[in-house]
Amino acid sequence: MKKMMGILSVATILFLTGCTDKKDNDVSNTKIEQKEVFTWKLATTWGKTVVPLVSAPIEMAKLVEKMSNGRLLIRVDASNKHKAPLGILDMVKGGQYEMGHSGSYYWKGKDINTLPFTTMPFGMTTPEQYAWFYRGGGLELMLKVYDKHNVLSFPGGNTGVQMGGWFKKEIKTVSDLQGLKMRIPGFAGEIMAKLGVAVTNMAPGELYTSLERGTLDALEWVGPGMDIKMGFHKVAPYYYTGWHEPASEMQFLVNKKKFNKLPKDLQEILLVGMRVSAYDMYIQNYDMSATAWAKIKTDYPNIKVKTFPKEVMDVMKKTNKELRTEVAKKSDLLKEILDSQDAYQKKAREWTKMSDFLYLKDNL
Ligand code: CA
């Protein structure tokens, strides 16, 4: 009985032994208050106004608080608080924060295996990639990669197809990319570097000033819903359609030791909270971009919407293929992940062609 007392909560034991007042055997606050409260902190890459990326962790924390009846409280610290927007993985790994919210491809310099879990150039679309994560072995592979860092990683909200970025000058040929200073993260950055672009990644808060002052000639951020609020169109009017981030998935990070210390029901509540808030971020971003796009021609007539010329796209595709083969040689696990993504994309794309593609082709 003593051992059992250690495992079961006081409220459960009272209920099982019939020691509770029968008039009060619903989920009473008295019983809940007897349980342990966990107070956690989450660090996110995003500033507090970077909606909807920052909305995912904020909504997750609210949901978890409600679902747990106040037993799991998560304080969300935006980048202006912790001052380390690109240090989230380290802070969660080190235990300063129990959780994080960021993008997996930001850690490619620390661990190359983390690269493919955000999105890959010319890769899967959002529904294809979610199917891969949840039904095609993607989540298992992501957990395997982060296990070595003693961290758990889960999908944290998707942006859908991102725009190709803002450029001060029109890109007519591949040679126009030569020497261009551009902010572009992930594998797309590697492709651009190969084509002669001086590639950097920098925290979101520094983007506008860098573009305005000429530290950057071009940058990519997300899509119209988020980009226009940043004001990039004022200094770089050429707005290119996307190729490089077809389905950028954010990520939740959880310190594994801290997760394992949570009771099972709180673990489930946390998993559900992350999954629901991730999906809600996807919806919110879609709505924001659709709303912004509807006004783009009337409210921002100086924006010149462009698609990269076929010649440029062909070179990007070719370079992507070559670099994928090259990078896969760096680690067996990375090769396993890329092969898994390729195989899933091949399978899912046939269905995408039959469903969304044919439907849209005849209904535009
Ligand atoms: Ca981006």
Side-chain angles (χ1 to χ4, degrees):
M1 187 65 189
K2 201 179 170 190
K3 196 182 170 198
M4 218 178 150
M5 287 284 284
I7 297 166
L8 299 174
S9 70
V10 174
T12 313
I13 287 161
L14 288 175
F15 180 74
L16 289 175
T17 51
C19 293
T20 50
D21 181 351
K22 285 214 169 98
K23 287 175 198 158
D24 190 28
N25 64 0
D26 56 343
V27 185
S28 87
N29 289 334
T30 323
K31 281 180 235 162
I32 296 299
E33 276 164 17
Q34 289 166 342
K35 295 186 179 178
E36 189 177 352
V37 172
F38 292 82
T39 308
W40 279 18
K41 296 190 301 294
L42 179 151
T44 176
T45 291
W46 329 114
K48 55 186 172 188
T49 57
V50 185
V51 173
L53 304 189
V54 78
S55 315
I58 291 171
E59 289 307 312
M60 182 278 300
K62 282 184 195 162
L63 274 173
V64 163
E65 183 177 346
K66 280 187 209 161
M67 288 193 289
S68 70
N69 215 348
R71 290 164 54 223
L72 180 53
L73 305 173
I74 303 167
R75 187 186 88 196
V76 176
D77 284 355
S79 59
N80 51 307
K81 174 111 183 185
H82 56 71
K83 314 273 186 220
L86 299 177
I88 308 296
L89 174 60
D90 287 340
M91 293 193 289
V92 177
K93 195 174 167 173
Q96 294 101 305
Y97 280 87
E98 286 83 0
M99 287 186 78
H101 188 260
S102 190
S104 190
Y105 61 13
Y106 291 145
W107 326 127
K108 68 173 183 176
K110 292 180 195 297
D111 179 350
I112 191 68
N113 298 327
T114 60
L115 170 70
F117 297 107
T118 307
T119 185
M120 288 297 276
F122 306 110
M124 290 180 275
T125 62
T126 304
E128 292 168 348
Q129 191 172 274
Y130 268 140
W132 175 72
F133 266 122
Y134 289 113
R135 304 281 165 179
L139 182 55
E140 286 84 349
L141 284 168
M142 183 157 74
L143 289 168
K144 193 170 164 184
V145 165
Y146 280 89
D147 195 57
K148 142 178 168 196
H149 302 282
N150 297 314
V151 162
L152 303 166
S153 173
F154 301 97
N158 204 286
T159 65
V161 175
Q162 295 200 1
M163 288 292 279
W166 300 89
F167 291 73
K168 290 188 176 180
K169 287 185 184 147
E170 191 175 353
I171 303 300
K172 290 178 181 162
T173 65
V174 179
S175 59
D176 291 333
L177 295 171
Q178 200 70 40
L180 202 78
K181 297 182 295 260
M182 182 173 188
R183 180 266 182 191
I184 179 165
F187 202 58
E190 317 266 328
I191 296 172
M192 284 301 213
K194 197 87 178 169
L195 300 180
V197 174
V199 171
T200 59
N201 186 26
M202 53 177 73
E206 300 162 34
L207 294 178
Y208 179 80
T209 318
S210 303
L211 192 63
E212 189 192 26
R213 292 184 185 163
T215 315
L216 291 175
D217 303 312
L219 59 79
E220 71 74 58
W221 179 222
V222 181
M226 292 187 68
D227 290 6
I228 287 172
K229 286 194 299 179
M230 299 281 265
F232 303 136
H233 57 281
K234 293 177 201 159
V235 281
Y238 294 94
Y239 196 22
Y240 279 86
T241 55
W243 60 279
H244 67 306
E245 296 202 39
S248 299
E249 186 67 32
M250 304 303 115
Q251 68 170 169
F252 280 113
L253 293 168
V254 189
N255 180 290
K256 205 174 160 186
K257 264 194 201 158
K258 301 284 170 84
F259 183 82
N260 289 339
K261 280 185 187 160
L262 288 179
K264 288 274 177 273
D265 65 330
L266 291 186
Q267 290 181 347
E268 283 302 319
I269 284 172
L270 184 61
L271 292 172
V272 170
M274 289 189 285
R275 194 157 170 178
V276 171
S277 62
Y279 190 63
D280 198 52
M281 193 210 96
Y282 173 44
I283 295 166
Q284 196 182 347
N285 190 60
Y286 206 98
D287 174 62
M288 277 172 57
S289 279
T291 306
W293 196 253
K295 296 193 293 186
I296 204 161
K297 278 190 186 140
T298 47
D299 293 11
Y300 307 97
N302 72 316
I303 296 175
K304 296 171 178 70
V305 179
K306 297 275 174 190
T307 296
F308 289 108
K310 189 172 179 306
E311 178 217 324
V312 176
M313 287 290 264
D314 286 348
V315 173
M316 285 169 174
K317 276 183 200 165
K318 189 171 162 276
T319 312
N320 178 52
K321 226 173 169 183
E322 289 165 3
L323 286 179
R324 270 179 86 106
T325 313
E326 224 171 89
V327 82
K329 289 178 193 155
K330 288 188 182 176
S331 118
D332 290 344
L333 184 50
L334 182 62
K335 186 174 182 323
E336 187 186 345
I337 301 161
L338 294 175
D339 287 350
S340 168
Q341 287 190 331
D342 281 347
Y344 202 86
Q345 179 171 333
K346 205 171 166 212
K347 178 175 88 172
R349 188 58 52 88
E350 289 306 311
W351 172 240
T352 306
K353 275 194 234 166
M354 284 307 292
S355 54
D356 296 62
F357 178 73
L358 284 180
Y359 171 75
L360 290 172
K361 190 168 127 326
D362 294 331
N363 288 287
L364 285 177

